[in-house]
Amino acid sequence: MWFSIVSQDIENSLERRRSARPAHLARLEELKRLGRLLVAGPNPAVAAEDTSNAGFTGSIVIADFDSEELARAWADADPYVAAGVYSRVEVKPFKKVLP
């Protein structure tokens, strides 16, 4: 089943994000390799093409897990959680309708 993982960043999270990013992306690449990743990406702090210095306000991951408990465990083990990037993480079932 699909689950949405919506995370909210702490204030001024950019440096923490940068340090944990390689490990964070490696986990997403593994979901992609397994065919379990629908979409993933950050929420930029500004609406611009180049957001490299503006920072981010959160992230969204929609991925396939066998249960909500497994989705929560995966989210809790995110390197961004360990690095203190996120202030809050919500895991909810997701129903893909379109496209």
Side-chain angles (χ1 to χ4, degrees):
M1 173 170 212
W2 295 111
F3 289 90
S4 65
I5 301 169
V6 180
S7 306
Q8 182 72 39
D9 279 29
I10 63 166
E11 293 283 327
N12 302 311
S13 63
L14 189 56
E15 287 308 313
R16 291 180 189 205
R17 271 184 171 267
R18 286 181 175 152
S19 67
R21 188 168 189 261
H24 171 78
L25 291 179
R27 295 178 81 237
L28 291 170
E29 286 292 338
E30 179 63 11
L31 285 179
K32 179 182 169 187
R33 185 187 71 75
L34 295 170
R36 295 175 38 207
L37 183 63
L38 182 63
V39 66
N43 301 112
V46 296
E49 274 303 308
D50 181 10
T51 60
S52 58
N53 291 320
F56 300 92
T57 62
S59 299
I60 299 171
V61 174
I62 300 177
D64 180 35
F65 294 94
D66 290 337
S67 69
E68 189 167 346
E69 292 76 22
L70 290 172
R72 168 55 64 189
W74 187 90
D76 288 346
D78 193 305
Y80 281 175
V81 170
V85 171
Y86 296 146
S87 63
R88 186 180 79 226
V89 178
E90 283 189 273
V91 176
K92 295 181 180 182
F94 178 81
K95 183 175 180 179
K96 184 179 184 284
V97 176
L98 295 171

